[in-house]
């Protein structure tokens, strides 16, 4: 403000006339000097002051000098030019006075303000006159001191000072008395008055007058009276204004000085009145008026600061100070006038030589006293000479609340916009002073009813009208005052604040859509409100709409409905709103006091919406360019305050319960919706409110009427029509029952009723209302003024007509109804009598002076008065505003307001280009996320993540193309240059958004829900472009997998291996070469640099921490993430196909078509992450496993549409889930394995490693899963399909080995027995590859060549084959158990369990690989002689010959079998023949009991015959006879093969045996000589030993 004043002062000098320039310079110099001086006060109740200035001269000498200076100036004036010489000498001290006490002035009369002159006719004239005659010192023309009372005062003071040793003990009134005489004397000139003022100012500045000075209180009152009634002769304007300036300075020093707190209420009021008069006088120079304003501001600071000390002095009891001062409250009165006071009038008077001028005054007493003084002294107005012997001084009360209140009242009244006496400049001045008063003592003002009432009513009323002014100065200052008022006194201004803020919102909130800007997604700012709630009526309602303290129409009457304002005005209003928003608790208070109350508007939401909408840059088009940043700053400040309070300890004591407020907000929303429906259709609205329990009983008229009468949100017009409608008589009666008309006149009762609804226009409806009103009015007891309800009925109609007649603007005054007309119309209607005249007169006067304002009617000053009165009445019921210095409501408040905040931050972030804006917005995003995370606001956090994801540009729904990805290698580092990396690296805004995004996500993962969709998109885009690795643990729960295969880059460039080239030619050749090779051009240095920027950006995101947090999230937080991951899986084959250039050519599908399906890293990434999350623990398996497994099975079912790598990993993930969640119903072993077994052979082969790894996981532990797995036919089908795969065979065999080797519980059951043997047989058959190496080795040995080492793979295959044969044999141990457990017949069971083993072993007995073949023969022999084989009582085991041994030998006889190993097969045939004979001998005893023994024996002989004639060579020709000899000898010794003579029953056996033997061994019979009766002992022993060996083997 000081800068403005200085500028104004300079400007004021430009229009002052030339002769006055020197004087103005003097004025400016005086101001500069006096502003540099400091004065202060002492005492506990005064403001602290700066240290006083030390005086270097003797104080008495200083005062004497000042006296001489003043009198010297006076003598130079024509009036005192012939004064006596004693005025120079100052007299001498007399003995009589030397011992006397310093003289004191007498006590002023009862009224210090009355300036009656009390002239004493004693000592001075006589004494001084005598002395003058004695010494011959008479002045010219016989003038003496008695003719110069002003001079005499100084003479007396100088004489008294001669005996003063300590100025601090000198009587203060006596010290000031002569100077005050000069100040008050109208005959003095301005320079003389100025000297007197300068002298007194010095006394205060040099501490000559201190708090210890005698009779300081009286001196202060006298000084105040003197300077406020200062009079002097006008000379020139500059000199005169210097006097006024010195008066201002002296008043400042007095209030700030040692005796300031001793001033009385009257003195303070007069001083303030003087200052205000100077401010208001337009004839004074601008410089002086501004100086007066500055002085007033300083004095008001002191005065209102004293209010705080008065409160302390009065005690802590509320209203104690008001109670103590209530008797003095009306004793003081201020009436500042533009005509000025005495001093101002003197300065403005026109000089008239020879005439003494009198001054105008503010009141009659002042004028009278001035005139009396002038008449008594011929223009030399002086007061009584001080006397120390006057009567006892009356007690002077220090100024207190009465003067403060009066000053406040005068300042407030100056703001009245309807008072045309006050110019706008005066209002601006008053506003500035009031602002200072509020800044100093605003909270104290609100504590005192006398001051608070002024603030609540008149101050707010005037302010709210001034803010509509188009005068920039008025608007600006009124907004400042309104802001300060609300900042300091808002606790008592609940409805006033609502009205003011509603107006601000209505004016400032633009009603236009946000213009679309290229590159900014409209969804980012969709939550910015297009209009505030409080001015948005329902579509079909044109009246009240959303209520504030009064409906919209009434707000219009108050002038607070908004409208178009100029840009500068908008800026000023935005600054005012921003200043309020910067109060830390302001928005919380709006939320608690308004948004959470049913009948209040949603001010907090509207304020945030206002700031949000105006922070959008387009708001500058209808305001100024400063408005958007101002609003953004306020909006970010709102967020900052909430963030700063996050860690504060919650305060709940003395504050409303949060749960209660939430319930109120819930009810409020319902009521708003219900009343909107009511305003369209009352029945529908009431039904809705009843359904929501707002109305207790829809069929109870009292419940409905209670609600309708208690809410302000229904349309008054609709309400009036509803209750008056035919059929709603009970509702009308219930509504009237809500009123109590006891003790009220008819017009008073009618006024209360009609203010609650609008009277319908239809006469029938009016009649119903009036009838019911009359009945209600007379229901309990009929007042004596009326006879009955019929009388009330008629009178009510007459009052309504009178109200219309008196206040119809279209009716001329002379045509309006007078009382006589009104009374005449009501003759004889009061039960046949007339109403009492006084009764009717009172009604008439009331209606005439105070219109019954029907809601939604009129728009004039009366409507304004009515609406304001209603607001004040409501103030009593709504109570005080709750100041909320707590954070307990922040969660609910932010939940209600975050949407426009985030939307605005998003828009500004996208449209901004200034670094400072970026910094503020990024901080705002972080704080919003911090708040949302703290209070668990998932929706807010989701929207923040969505906004940042959109801004980052890497959350696209469709992944960017990777066809041109190029890997650039430099030394041991590589970077993938891709379209996405280059684009992100070039966009700083997107990089910044990406970093902020993951800073927001980091630590808040558990709160995210729907926004996981966008984070997943970011991850996918970054992953497929090789910008992030797989952060989650791939070895989780044993799921150890190789890295996800990423699509191979289109080319790999090694920068380090290339020589550094530069220039256009090298670039051209590089381009031509890449074009010829159909490769993309090599990345430029700029593209590589952009990619590196992207890499740095991604590294700064610290996604590793995000994934680590994700792995620890609770289940309910994981579910949205898994859902988002699954949503990104392709729904059809086209979505999953990525066409790339393949190094190994195209992949041929099982259908024979060429498939261009390439790697699917995104799909694999999604599936793998889902699986990892689902497998985290038992809870996640149970709750997430179903969805994840369903997605995996979809991939498997649509296997032809996916890359084999994708399918194989999906199978593995699914088997892991099966292993972890077997007990759950979402996966079934048969379904899973059937799906796998349904794969095409080539797909199954390519997926084999992971398929088998998953299968191994399922069967590695004994249990239900393993048992069900190994008994599944599809399990064996899968193993069978993969057994021939060279890469998969080892794993398959290991699985098979583990299954068969398991003994507890055994894995081989009836269901999988044959499948296991079949698979083992296949492995044994695969071992035939070993025959090739064996035969090569044989040839090398024959040729003498060194043997080559056997290939490991072939050796492993043979080893598996050998082990497979062994395992087949081991299964024979399970046969008895399986047969016992089976429900098959004995023969069927034997065939079911023994036959597979024998078939497999006989098959392997012809295996070209000798090692396997030998093992098979050994196993077959052990199987054939197994005890379990013949454990059955039936003869099924006899099939071993016809089904096992005979087919084996026949197969060995085939040339193709023989040729597979011509060397080794000969031995095998011998082994087969020997085995046949041994097995026959082993079971000879059992066979002897079998009816088919003869046929079997004969078949054996036939087989031997074929072997003998097979043409193999000597080995069979020797082995067959030898084996037959052994059989024959045993049979003979056992009594089975004997001559018929010995046992006729074996005759056929004997005959047929020799018959066949004679065919191919004719000499054998002769050699054995079995025809004789006895066998040689040695021969028999050998045969028996042979049989025993066979059994043992």
């Amino acid at each position: 403000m000081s800068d403005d004043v200085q500028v104004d002062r300079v400007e004021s000098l430009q229009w002052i006339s030339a002769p006055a320039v020197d004087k103005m310079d003097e004025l400016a110099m005086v101001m500069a000097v006096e502003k540099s001086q400091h004065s202060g006060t002492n005492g506990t109740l005064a403001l602290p002051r700066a240290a006083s200035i030390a005086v270097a001269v003797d104080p008495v000498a200083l005062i004497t000098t000042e006296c001489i200076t003043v009198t010297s100036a006076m003598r130079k004036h024509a009036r005192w030019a012939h004064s006596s010489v004693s005025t120079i000498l100052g007299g001498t001290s007399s003995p009589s006075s030397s011992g006397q006490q310093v003289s004191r002035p007498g006590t002023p009369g009862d009224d210090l303000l009355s300036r009656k002159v009390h002239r004493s006719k004693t000592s001075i004239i006589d004494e001084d006159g005598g002395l003058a005659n004695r010494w011959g010192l008479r002045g010219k023309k016989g003038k003496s001191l008695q003719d110069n009372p002003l001079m005499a005062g100084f003479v007396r003071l100088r004489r008294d000072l001669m005996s003063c040793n300590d100025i601090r003990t000198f009587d203060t009134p006596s010290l000031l008395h002569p100077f005050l005489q000069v100040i008050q004397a109208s005959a003095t000139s301005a320079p003389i008055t100025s000297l007197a003022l300068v002298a007194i100012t010095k006394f205060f500045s040099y501490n000559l007058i201190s708090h210890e000075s005698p009779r300081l209180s009286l001196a202060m009152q006298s000084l105040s009276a003197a300077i406020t009634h200062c009079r002097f002769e006008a000379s020139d304007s500059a000199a005169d204004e210097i006097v006024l300036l010195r008066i201002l300075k002296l008043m400042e020093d007095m209030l700030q000085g040692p005796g300031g707190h001793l001033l009385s209420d009257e003195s303070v009021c007069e001083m303030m009145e003087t200052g205000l008069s100077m401010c208001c006088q337009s004839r004074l120079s601008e410089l002086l008026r501004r100086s007066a304003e500055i002085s007033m501001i300083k004095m008001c600071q002191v005065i209102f600061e004293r209010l705080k000390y008065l409160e302390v002095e009065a005690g802590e009891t509320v209203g104690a100070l008001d109670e103590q001062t209530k008797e003095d409250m009306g004793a003081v009165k201020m009436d500042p006038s533009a005509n000025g006071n005495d001093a101002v009038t003197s300065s403005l008077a026109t000089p008239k030589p020879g005439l003494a001028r009198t001054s105008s005054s503010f009141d009659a007493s002042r004028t009278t006293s001035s005139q009396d003084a002038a008449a008594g002294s011929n223009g030399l107005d002086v007061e009584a000479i001080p006397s120390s012997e006057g009567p006892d001084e009356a007690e002077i009360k220090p100024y207190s609340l009465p003067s403060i209140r009066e000053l406040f009242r005068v300042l407030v009244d100056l703001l009245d916009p309807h008072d045309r006496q006050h110019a706008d400049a005066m209002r601006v001045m008053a506003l500035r002073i009031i602002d200072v008063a509020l800044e100093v003592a605003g909270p104290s003002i609100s504590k005192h009813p006398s001051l608070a009432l002024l603030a609540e009513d008149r101050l707010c009323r005037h302010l709210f009208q001034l803010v509509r002014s188009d005068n920039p100065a008025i608007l600006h200052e009124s907004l400042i005052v309104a802001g300060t008022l609300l900042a300091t006194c808002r606790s008592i201004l609940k409805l006033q604040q609502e009205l003011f803020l509603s107006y601000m919102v209505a004016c400032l909130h633009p009603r236009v859509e946000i213009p679309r800007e290229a590159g900014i997604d409209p969804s980012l700012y969709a939550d910015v409100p297009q209009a505030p709630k409080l001015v948005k009526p329902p579509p079909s309602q044109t009246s009240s709409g959303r209520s504030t303290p009064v409906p919209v129409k009434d707000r219009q009457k108050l002038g607070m409905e908004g409208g178009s304002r100029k840009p500068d005005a908008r800026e000023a209003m935005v600054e005012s709103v921003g200043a309020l928003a910067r109060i830390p608790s302001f928005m919380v208070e709006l939320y608690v006091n308004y948004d959470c109350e049913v009948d209040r508007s949603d001010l907090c939401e509207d304020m945030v919406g206002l700031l949000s909408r105006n922070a959008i840059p387009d708001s500058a088009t209808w305001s100024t360019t400063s408005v958007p940043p101002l609003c953004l700053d306020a909006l970010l400040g709102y967020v900052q305050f909430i963030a700063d309070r996050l860690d504060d300890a919650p305060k709940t004591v003395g504050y409303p319960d949060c749960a209660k407020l939430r319930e109120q907000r819930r009810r409020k929303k319902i009521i708003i919706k219900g009343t909107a429906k009511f305003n369209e259709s009352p029945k529908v609205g009431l039904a809705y409110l009843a359904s929501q329990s707002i109305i207790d009983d829809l069929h109870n008229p009292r419940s409905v009427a209670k609600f309708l009468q208690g809410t302000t949100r229904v349309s008054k017009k609709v309400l009036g029509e509803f209750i008056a409608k035919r059929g709603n008589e009970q509702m009308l009666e219930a509504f009237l029952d809500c009123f109590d008309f006891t003790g009220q006149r008819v017009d008073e009762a009618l006024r209360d009723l009609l203010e609650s609804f609008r009277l319908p226009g239809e006469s029938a409806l009016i009649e119903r209302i009036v009838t019911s009103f009359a009945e209600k009015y007379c229901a309990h007891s009929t007042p004596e003024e009326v006879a009955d309800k019929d009388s009330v009925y008629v009178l009510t109609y007459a009052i309504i007509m009178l109200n219309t007649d008196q206040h119809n603007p279209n009716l001329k005054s002379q045509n309006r109804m007078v009382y006589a007309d009104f009374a005449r119309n009501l003759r004889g209607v009061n039960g046949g009598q007339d109403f009492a005249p006084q009764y009717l007169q009172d009604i008439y006067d009331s209606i005439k002076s105070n219109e019954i304002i029907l809601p939604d009617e009129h728009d004039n000053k009366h409507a304004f008065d009515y609406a304001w009165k209603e607001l004040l009445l409501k103030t009593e019921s709504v109570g005080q505003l709750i100041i909320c210095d707590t954070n307990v409501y922040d969660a609910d408040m932010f939940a209600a307001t975050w949407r426009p905040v985030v939307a605005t931050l998003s828009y500004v972030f996208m449209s901004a280009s200034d670094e400072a804006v970026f910094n503020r917005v990024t901080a705002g995003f972080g704080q919003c996320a911090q708040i949302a995370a703290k209070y668990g606001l998932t929706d807010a956090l989701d929207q923040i993540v969505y906004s940042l994801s959109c801004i980052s540009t890497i959350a696209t729904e469709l992944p960017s193309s990777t066809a041109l990805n190029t890997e650039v290698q430099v030394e041991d580092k590589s970077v993938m240059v891709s379209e996405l990396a280059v684009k992100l690296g070039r966009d700083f805004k997107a990089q910044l958004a990406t970093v902020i995004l993951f800073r927001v996500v980091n630590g808040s993962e558990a709160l995210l829900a729907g926004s996981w969709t966008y984070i997943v998109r970011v991850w996918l885009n970054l992953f497929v472009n090789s910008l992030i690795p797989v952060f989650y643990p791939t070895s989780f729960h044993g799921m150890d997998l190789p890295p996800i295969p990423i699509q191979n880059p289109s080319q790999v460039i090694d920068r380090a291996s290339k020589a550094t080239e530069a220039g256009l030619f090298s670039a051209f050749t590089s381009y031509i070469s890449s074009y010829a090779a159909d490769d993309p051009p090599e990345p430029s240095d700029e593209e590589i640099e952009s990619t590196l920027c992207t890499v740095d950006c991604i590294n700064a995101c610290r996604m590793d921490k995000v994934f680590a947090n994700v792995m620890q999230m609770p289940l309910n937080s994981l579910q949205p993430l898994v859902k988002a991951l699954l949503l990104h899986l392709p729904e059809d084959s086209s979505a999953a196909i990525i066409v790339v250039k393949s190094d190994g050519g195209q992949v041929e599908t099982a259908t024979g078509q060429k498939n261009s399906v390439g790697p699917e890293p995104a799909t694999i990434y999604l599936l793998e992450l889902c699986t990892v999350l689902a497998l985290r623990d038992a809870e996640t398996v149970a709750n997430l496993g179903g969805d994840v497994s369903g997605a995996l099975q979809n991939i498997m079912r649509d296997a032809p549409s996916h890359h084999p790598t994708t399918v194989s990993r999906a199978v593995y993930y699914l088997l892991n889930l099966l292993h972890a969640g077997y007990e759950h119903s979402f996966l079934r072993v048969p379904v899973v394995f059937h799906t796998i077994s349904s794969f095409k052979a080539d797909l199954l082969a390519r997926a084999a490693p992971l398929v088998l790894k998953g299968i191994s996981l399922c069967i590695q532990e004994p249990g239900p899963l393993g048992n069900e797995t190994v008994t599944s036919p599809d399990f064996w089908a899968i193993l069978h399909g993969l057994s021939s795969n060279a890469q998969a065979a080892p794993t398959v065999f290991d699985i098979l080995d583990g299954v068969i080797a398991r003994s507890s519980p055994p894995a081989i059951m009836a269901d999988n027995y044959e499948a296991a043997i079949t698979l083992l047989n296949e492995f044994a058959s695969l071992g035939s590859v070993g025959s090739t190496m064996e035969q090569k080795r044989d040839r090398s040995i024959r040729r003498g060549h060194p043997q080559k080492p056997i290939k490991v793979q072939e050796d492993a295959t043979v080893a598996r084959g050998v082990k497979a044969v062994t395992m087949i044999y081991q299964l024979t141990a399970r046969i008895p158990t399986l047969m016992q457990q089976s429900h098959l017949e004995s023969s069927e069971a034997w065939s079911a369990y023994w036959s597979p083993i024998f078939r497999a072993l006989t098959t392997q007995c012809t295996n070209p690989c000798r090692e396997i073949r030998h093992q098979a023969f050994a196993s077959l022999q052990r199987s054939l002689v197994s005890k379990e084989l013949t454990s059955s009582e039936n003869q099924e085991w006899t099939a071993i010959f016809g089904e096992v041994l005979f087919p084996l030998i026949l197969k060995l006889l085939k040339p193709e079998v023989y040729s597979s190993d011509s060397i080794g097969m000969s031995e095998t045939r011998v082994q087969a023949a020997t085995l046949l004979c041994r097995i026959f001998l082993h079971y000879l005893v059992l066979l002897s009991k079998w009816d088919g023994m003869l046929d079997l024996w004969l078949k054996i002989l036939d087989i031997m015959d074929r072997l003998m004639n097979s043409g193999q060579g000597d080995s069979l020709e020797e082995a067959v006879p030898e084996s037959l000899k052994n059989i024959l000898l045993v049979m003979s010794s056992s009594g089975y093969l004997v001559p018929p003579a010995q046992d006729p029953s074996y005759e056929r056996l004997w005959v047929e045996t020799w018959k066949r033997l004679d065919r191919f061994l004719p000499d054998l019979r002769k050699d054995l000589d079995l025809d004789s009766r006895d066998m040689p002992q040695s021969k028999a022993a050998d045969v028996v030993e042979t049989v025993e060996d066979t059994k043992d083997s």
Side-chain angles (χ1 to χ4, degrees), residues 358-425:
T358 57
S359 303
S360 62
S361 180
F362 290 116
D363 53 38
S365 64
R366 179 176 300 176
T367 304
T368 303
S369 63
S370 300
Q371 292 172 351
D372 292 345
S377 61
N378 192 24
L380 300 178
D381 303 330
V382 295
E383 291 187 349
I385 299 173
S387 174
S388 61
E389 299 177 355
D392 294 338
E393 297 179 12
E395 181 183 359
I396 299 175
K397 294 182 179 180
Y399 76 94
S400 182
L401 189 60
S403 57
I404 297 175
R405 190 260 181 196
E406 181 63 12
L407 172 60
F408 193 51
R409 179 197 66 78
V410 169
L411 292 172
V412 170
D413 286 346
L414 287 175
L415 303 182
D416 187 357
H418 300 292
D419 188 347
R420 297 184 179 181
Q421 293 182 357
H422 300 154
D424 282 348

Side-chain angles (χ1 to χ4, degrees), residues 308-374:
K308 303 175 184 177
Y309 297 95
L310 292 173
E311 292 172 355
V312 176
E313 188 180 54
E316 298 181 357
T317 305
V318 178
L321 182 59
D322 295 78
E323 184 66 25
Q324 294 174 7
T325 58
K326 64 180 181 181
E327 295 181 357
D328 301 327
M329 197 61 72
V332 290
K333 181 71 174 178
M334 288 176 59
D335 187 14
S337 170
N339 295 326
N341 67 345
D342 294 344
V344 178
T345 304
S346 297
S347 68
L348 297 176
T350 303
K352 293 183 179 180
L355 287 177
R357 292 168 299 280
T358 57
S359 303
S360 62
S361 180
F362 290 116
D363 53 38
S365 64
R366 179 176 300 176
T367 304
T368 303
S369 63
S370 300
Q371 292 172 351
D372 292 345

Side-chain angles (χ1 to χ4, degrees), residues 862-1181:
H862 293 295
F864 176 90
D865 294 337
Y866 163 76
W868 187 258
K869 184 189 70 171
E870 287 297 299
L871 184 143
L872 294 178
L873 290 175
K874 291 179 181 178
T875 301
E876 299 175 2
S877 61
V878 299
Q880 290 195 350
L881 183 138
I882 302 170
I883 303 298
C884 301
D885 184 19
T886 179
N887 62 356
V888 296
Y889 308 113
D890 286 354
D892 295 332
M893 178 179 67
F894 191 74
T897 58
W898 64 262
R899 293 184 183 277
V901 175
V902 174
T904 301
L905 293 180
S906 303
Y907 190 97
V908 173
F909 191 97
M910 289 291 289
S911 60
S913 58
D914 186 83
E915 183 178 356
V917 176
F918 281 129
N919 292 336
R920 291 296 305 276
V921 173
T922 54
F925 269 124
Q927 289 166 351
C928 287
Q930 187 182 5
I931 297 167
K934 174 72 174 180
Y935 296 124
L937 303 177
T938 296
D939 291 344
L941 209 55
D942 281 341
Q943 184 63 28
I944 294 171
V945 170
Y946 166 72
S947 300
L948 292 172
S949 300
C950 291
I951 300 172
S952 71
T953 70
I954 57 175
T956 55
E957 186 173 359
L958 296 177
S960 59
S961 173
T962 59
L964 301 180
N965 285 11
T966 302
E967 183 178 355
V968 178
Q969 296 179 348
V970 180
E971 297 178 354
D972 58 341
K973 297 181 180 180
S974 65
V975 61
M976 185 72 74
V977 180
S978 62
E979 177 184 340
L980 181 140
V982 172
K983 181 180 178 182
L984 180 60
R986 291 171 175 169
D987 191 344
F988 170 76
K989 192 179 298 182
Q991 294 178 54
L992 185 59
T994 303
V995 174
I996 300 171
L997 168 63
F998 285 97
R999 284 183 183 176
V1000 167
V1001 172
N1002 193 355
S1004 304
E1005 297 85 358
L1007 293 172
L1008 300 180
S1011 60
W1012 279 118
T1013 298
Y1014 310 103
I1015 298 175
V1016 169
R1017 291 178 183 175
V1018 172
W1019 285 345
L1020 288 179
N1021 282 317
L1022 295 178
F1023 180 77
V1024 299
N1025 286 281
S1026 303
L1027 290 172
I1028 60 170
V1030 175
F1031 287 108
Y1032 52 83
T1034 55
S1035 58
F1036 202 69
H1037 280 278
M1039 198 173 71
D1040 191 10
L1041 286 173
I1044 297 175
I1046 303 294
Q1047 175 186 335
N1048 294 329
S1050 59
Q1051 58 179 330
V1052 178
I1053 299 172
D1054 189 353
R1055 284 291 180 95
S1057 64
K1058 292 186 177 182
T1060 304
E1061 297 180 357
L1064 178 63
F1065 180 75
S1066 60
F1068 179 73
T1069 54
S1070 174
Y1071 176 81
I1072 293 300
S1073 61
S1074 63
Y1075 179 80
D1078 197 21
D1079 290 331
E1082 182 177 334
S1084 65
D1085 291 340
E1086 187 273 335
E1087 291 175 332
I1088 295 176
E1089 183 64 27
S1090 297
T1091 301
L1092 293 176
C1093 289
T1094 297
V1095 172
D1096 292 339
C1097 170
I1098 301 305
N1099 291 336
C1101 293
R1102 297 305 306 270
M1103 292 193 196
D1104 54 337
K1105 290 187 177 181
V1106 174
F1107 278 94
N1109 294 335
V1110 165
M1111 298 308 298
Q1112 304 299 323
M1113 289 197 306
L1115 172 64
N1116 60 341
S1117 301
L1118 279 177
Q1119 288 173 331
L1121 172 56
V1122 173
K1123 181 180 179 181
L1125 291 168
L1126 297 178
L1127 285 175
H1128 284 81
L1129 291 172
E1131 297 181 358
D1132 50 43
S1133 58
S1134 61
I1137 294 177
I1138 304 176
V1139 181
V1140 297
K1141 183 177 179 180
S1142 175
D1143 294 336
Q1146 292 176 314
V1147 180
E1148 186 175 352
T1149 62
T1151 59
Q1153 298 177 347
K1154 297 296 182 179
N1155 189 0
S1156 61
V1157 177
E1160 299 172 280
T1163 302
I1164 298 174
Y1165 182 85
L1166 294 169
L1167 295 174
E1168 188 165 292
L1169 182 53
C1170 285
T1171 306
V1172 169
L1173 294 175
L1175 290 175
R1176 191 187 68 182
D1177 51 46
E1179 186 182 24
T1180 55
V1181 170

Side-chain angles (χ1 to χ4, degrees), residues 1249-1360:
L1250 291 180
V1251 171
L1252 296 175
K1253 189 173 184 179
I1255 291 176
S1256 299
L1257 179 66
C1258 293
I1259 65 173
Q1260 68 181 2
E1261 298 175 359
L1265 173 61
N1267 293 338
E1268 187 175 3
T1269 300
V1270 298
T1271 56
S1272 170
D1274 294 305
F1275 166 78
W1276 295 101
I1278 295 169
L1279 297 183
H1280 174 76
L1282 296 176
S1283 61
S1284 59
N1285 185 289
Q1287 287 75 26
T1291 307
V1292 174
F1293 190 78
D1294 290 341
I1295 294 172
L1296 185 60
D1297 185 18
V1299 171
I1300 295 175
R1302 187 191 305 166
S1303 58
S1304 180
I1308 300 302
M1309 307 295 291
D1311 295 334
N1312 58 11
Y1313 175 78
E1314 188 171 357
I1317 294 176
T1318 301
L1319 186 56
L1320 288 171
N1321 187 41
E1322 290 182 6
F1323 274 105
S1325 299
L1326 292 173
S1328 62
V1329 297
S1331 64
T1332 304
M1333 298 305 301
E1334 291 172 345
Q1335 294 172 19
K1336 288 182 179 180
R1337 188 167 55 250
D1338 292 342
R1339 288 193 295 270
S1340 298
I1341 294 173
R1342 287 196 302 269
R1343 298 172 183 173
H1345 295 165
Q1347 301 181 15
K1348 296 181 180 180
I1350 302 175
K1351 294 182 180 180
V1352 176
Q1353 183 176 0
E1354 295 179 352
D1355 187 50
T1357 304
V1358 174
R1360 287 195 295 269

Side-chain angles (χ1 to χ4, degrees), residues 7-101:
V7 172
D8 294 337
R9 287 172 179 166
V10 174
E11 292 175 350
S12 67
L13 295 175
Q14 296 176 358
W15 54 264
I16 298 176
S17 60
V21 171
D22 293 337
K23 292 293 184 179
M24 292 306 297
D25 290 342
E26 180 184 354
L27 173 63
M29 292 178 63
V30 169
M31 290 183 58
V33 171
E34 294 185 348
K35 286 181 68 63
S36 67
Q37 296 177 354
H38 300 281
S39 62
T41 64
N42 294 316
T44 57
L45 297 181
L47 287 174
R49 57 167 295 184
S52 60
I53 301 173
V55 59
V57 299
D58 179 48
V60 175
L62 178 64
I63 297 173
T64 302
T65 302
E66 293 300 325
C67 292
I68 294 173
T69 302
V70 175
T71 55
S72 176
M74 292 174 63
R75 287 197 311 275
K76 295 175 183 178
H77 195 277
R79 187 181 298 273
W80 295 282
H82 307 290
S83 299
S84 171
V85 71
S86 62
T87 60
I88 302 174
L89 298 177
T92 59
S93 61
S94 64
S96 62
S97 64
S98 61
Q100 294 178 355
Q101 187 179 359

